Amino acid sequence: MSLRKWVQEKWVDIGSKRKDGSFAPCGRSKGEKRKGYPKCVPLAKARSMSEGQRRSAVARKRSAGNTGPKPTNVATFAKRENMQKGGSVGEKYYNQAKEKQAKFKESEKQLDKKYKEIQEKEREFEYINSIHQEDSTRPYNPVEHYKKGGLIKGKPKLTKKGWK
């Protein structure tokens, strides 16, 4: 675009939108007071921007401030963070999804481990119940239970009072 066309465009302040939806012209007439520092763009660009893009541009312009005699220039559209780092836009989302998947797999492994432990304990309790259901008049004898591969680990010890 030539400088002549650039100057001839109608420039508006996107930081001061009127109630009727139009924008105030860029620059101030003598004695006019306006809230905040102006962010001026061509009218065509202002119309093509979304409300969020306009708010973002104005916020960045006002946060940059004006420290010198010349106005501070700020990019109208924020650059994507991932593009500045040299990666693609989708790479960020791909990595996030990969991390979530890894966490899910890890938690799934832990749940499987707990489930197997619970199943093993249930089998042992079922075995004990099956022994007692065979003959409910017979008292529970840990030696028999041990010989059949029950819950007791190691060899039973005989004391004066009975089985320990």
Side-chain angles (χ1 to χ4, degrees):
M1 174 186 282
S2 68
L3 181 61
R4 184 168 289 147
K5 281 187 178 180
W6 182 80
V7 171
Q8 288 175 349
E9 285 182 327
K10 184 176 181 182
W11 288 75
V12 293
D13 179 11
I14 59 173
S16 60
K17 194 171 184 181
R18 296 179 179 155
K19 289 182 181 178
D20 64 352
S22 64
F23 298 99
C26 196
R28 295 183 181 143
S29 57
K30 194 170 186 179
E32 181 185 355
K33 290 192 177 183
R34 221 183 278 167
K35 181 184 168 189
Y37 199 69
K39 173 63 179 162
C40 297
V41 295
L43 182 61
K45 185 179 275 190
R47 286 182 178 160
S48 68
M49 293 171 73
S50 70
E51 187 64 35
Q53 288 173 329
R54 276 183 277 198
R55 268 189 271 127
S56 172
V58 170
R60 280 183 282 109
K61 175 75 171 192
R62 289 183 180 164
S63 68
N66 187 17
T67 55
K70 294 181 180 180
T72 306
N73 290 331
V74 176
T76 303
F77 297 103
K79 293 188 178 179
R80 291 189 176 164
E81 192 176 312
N82 225 13
M83 294 298 277
Q84 289 175 346
K85 292 179 182 176
S88 68
V89 177
E91 187 177 347
K92 175 182 174 184
Y93 299 108
Y94 173 77
N95 290 337
Q96 287 175 349
K98 205 171 184 182
E99 287 173 15
K100 284 181 182 178
Q101 194 176 24
K103 287 179 184 177
F104 178 75
K105 282 184 179 178
E106 187 64 34
S107 63
E108 209 173 39
K109 286 178 184 177
Q110 290 173 351
L111 286 174
D112 283 345
K113 187 177 179 181
K114 286 181 182 178
Y115 180 71
K116 286 178 183 176
E117 289 174 5
I118 291 169
Q119 278 185 328
E120 191 175 310
K121 287 180 182 178
E122 282 179 352
R123 278 192 219 111
E124 289 178 8
F125 287 126
E126 283 175 11
Y127 176 72
I128 291 171
N129 288 337
S130 68
I131 290 173
H132 290 294
Q133 286 175 355
E134 288 173 8
D135 187 8
S136 59
T137 58
R138 187 178 66 182
Y140 176 68
N141 187 349
V143 176
E144 284 181 28
H145 186 76
Y146 172 75
K147 287 179 181 175
K148 292 182 179 179
L151 291 172
I152 300 171
K153 304 283 182 189
K155 293 182 179 178
K157 295 180 182 177
L158 186 60
T159 60
K160 289 182 181 178
K161 292 180 182 177
W163 291 101
K164 189 176 187 180

mmCIF file of all heavy atoms in Angstrom, residues 28 30 32 67 95 97 113 117 124 132:
data_model
loop_
_atom_site.group_PDB
_atom_site.id
_atom_site.type_symbol
_atom_site.label_atom_id
_atom_site.label_comp_id
_atom_site.label_asym_id
_atom_site.label_seq_id
_atom_site.Cartn_x
_atom_site.Cartn_y
_atom_site.Cartn_z
ATOM 1 N N ARG A 28 -7.666 14.373 18.545
ATOM 2 C CA ARG A 28 -8.614 15.130 19.360
ATOM 3 C C ARG A 28 -8.680 16.564 18.862
ATOM 4 O O ARG A 28 -7.663 17.147 18.477
ATOM 5 C CB ARG A 28 -8.167 15.111 20.819
ATOM 6 C CG ARG A 28 -8.212 13.726 21.413
ATOM 7 C CD ARG A 28 -7.836 13.752 22.878
ATOM 8 N NE ARG A 28 -7.877 12.378 23.405
ATOM 9 C CZ ARG A 28 -7.043 11.909 24.289
ATOM 10 N NH1 ARG A 28 -6.097 12.671 24.751
ATOM 11 N NH2 ARG A 28 -7.155 10.690 24.713
ATOM 12 N N LYS A 30 -9.438 20.609 19.652
ATOM 13 C CA LYS A 30 -9.003 21.465 20.755
ATOM 14 C C LYS A 30 -10.018 21.443 21.892
ATOM 15 O O LYS A 30 -11.206 21.633 21.684
ATOM 16 C CB LYS A 30 -8.815 22.896 20.249
ATOM 17 C CG LYS A 30 -8.056 23.774 21.211
ATOM 18 C CD LYS A 30 -7.688 25.093 20.572
ATOM 19 C CE LYS A 30 -6.807 25.849 21.523
ATOM 20 N NZ LYS A 30 -6.392 27.111 20.957
ATOM 21 N N GLU A 32 -11.069 18.924 23.608
ATOM 22 C CA GLU A 32 -11.781 17.650 23.779
ATOM 23 C C GLU A 32 -11.014 16.752 24.738
ATOM 24 O O GLU A 32 -9.795 16.649 24.681
ATOM 25 C CB GLU A 32 -11.919 16.955 22.421
ATOM 26 C CG GLU A 32 -12.674 15.642 22.499
ATOM 27 C CD GLU A 32 -12.710 14.905 21.175
ATOM 28 O OE1 GLU A 32 -12.233 15.438 20.159
ATOM 29 O OE2 GLU A 32 -13.207 13.773 21.172
ATOM 30 N N THR A 67 5.776 7.348 26.981
ATOM 31 C CA THR A 67 6.871 7.909 27.779
ATOM 32 C C THR A 67 7.570 9.072 27.095
ATOM 33 O O THR A 67 8.287 9.819 27.736
ATOM 34 C CB THR A 67 7.919 6.818 28.075
ATOM 35 O OG1 THR A 67 8.349 6.256 26.840
ATOM 36 C CG2 THR A 67 7.329 5.733 28.954
ATOM 37 N N ASN A 95 0.920 -31.581 22.387
ATOM 38 C CA ASN A 95 1.699 -31.919 23.581
ATOM 39 C C ASN A 95 0.811 -31.999 24.817
ATOM 40 O O ASN A 95 0.999 -32.867 25.661
ATOM 41 C CB ASN A 95 2.822 -30.907 23.788
ATOM 42 C CG ASN A 95 3.900 -31.029 22.740
ATOM 43 O OD1 ASN A 95 4.059 -32.070 22.121
ATOM 44 N ND2 ASN A 95 4.656 -29.959 22.513
ATOM 45 N N ALA A 97 -2.375 -32.778 24.889
ATOM 46 C CA ALA A 97 -3.172 -34.001 24.785
ATOM 47 C C ALA A 97 -2.329 -35.228 25.112
ATOM 48 O O ALA A 97 -2.806 -36.167 25.757
ATOM 49 C CB ALA A 97 -3.752 -34.118 23.381
ATOM 50 N N LYS A 113 -4.024 -52.547 38.958
ATOM 51 C CA LYS A 113 -3.258 -53.202 40.030
ATOM 52 C C LYS A 113 -4.135 -53.374 41.273
ATOM 53 O O LYS A 113 -4.180 -54.455 41.870
ATOM 54 C CB LYS A 113 -2.022 -52.367 40.347
ATOM 55 C CG LYS A 113 -1.072 -53.017 41.312
ATOM 56 C CD LYS A 113 0.156 -52.150 41.508
ATOM 57 C CE LYS A 113 1.117 -52.774 42.501
ATOM 58 N NZ LYS A 113 2.303 -51.947 42.717
ATOM 59 N N GLU A 117 -5.542 -56.911 43.107
ATOM 60 C CA GLU A 117 -5.358 -57.191 44.530
ATOM 61 C C GLU A 117 -6.692 -57.519 45.190
ATOM 62 O O GLU A 117 -6.794 -58.466 45.977
ATOM 63 C CB GLU A 117 -4.718 -55.987 45.227
ATOM 64 C CG GLU A 117 -3.266 -55.767 44.886
ATOM 65 C CD GLU A 117 -2.713 -54.482 45.487
ATOM 66 O OE1 GLU A 117 -3.432 -53.803 46.248
ATOM 67 O OE2 GLU A 117 -1.560 -54.149 45.188
ATOM 68 N N GLU A 124 -9.506 -65.571 48.127
ATOM 69 C CA GLU A 124 -9.085 -66.179 49.391
ATOM 70 C C GLU A 124 -10.252 -66.244 50.372
ATOM 71 O O GLU A 124 -10.460 -67.263 51.043
ATOM 72 C CB GLU A 124 -7.920 -65.398 49.990
ATOM 73 C CG GLU A 124 -6.627 -65.575 49.224
ATOM 74 C CD GLU A 124 -5.483 -64.771 49.795
ATOM 75 O OE1 GLU A 124 -5.648 -64.176 50.879
ATOM 76 O OE2 GLU A 124 -4.414 -64.740 49.166
ATOM 77 N N HIS A 132 -15.847 -73.482 55.420
ATOM 78 C CA HIS A 132 -16.760 -73.440 56.561
ATOM 79 C C HIS A 132 -18.169 -73.852 56.176
ATOM 80 O O HIS A 132 -18.913 -74.351 57.018
ATOM 81 C CB HIS A 132 -16.773 -72.046 57.184
ATOM 82 C CG HIS A 132 -15.498 -71.721 57.879
ATOM 83 N ND1 HIS A 132 -15.080 -72.373 59.006
ATOM 84 C CD2 HIS A 132 -14.525 -70.820 57.584
ATOM 85 C CE1 HIS A 132 -13.903 -71.896 59.383
ATOM 86 N NE2 HIS A 132 -13.544 -70.951 58.541
#
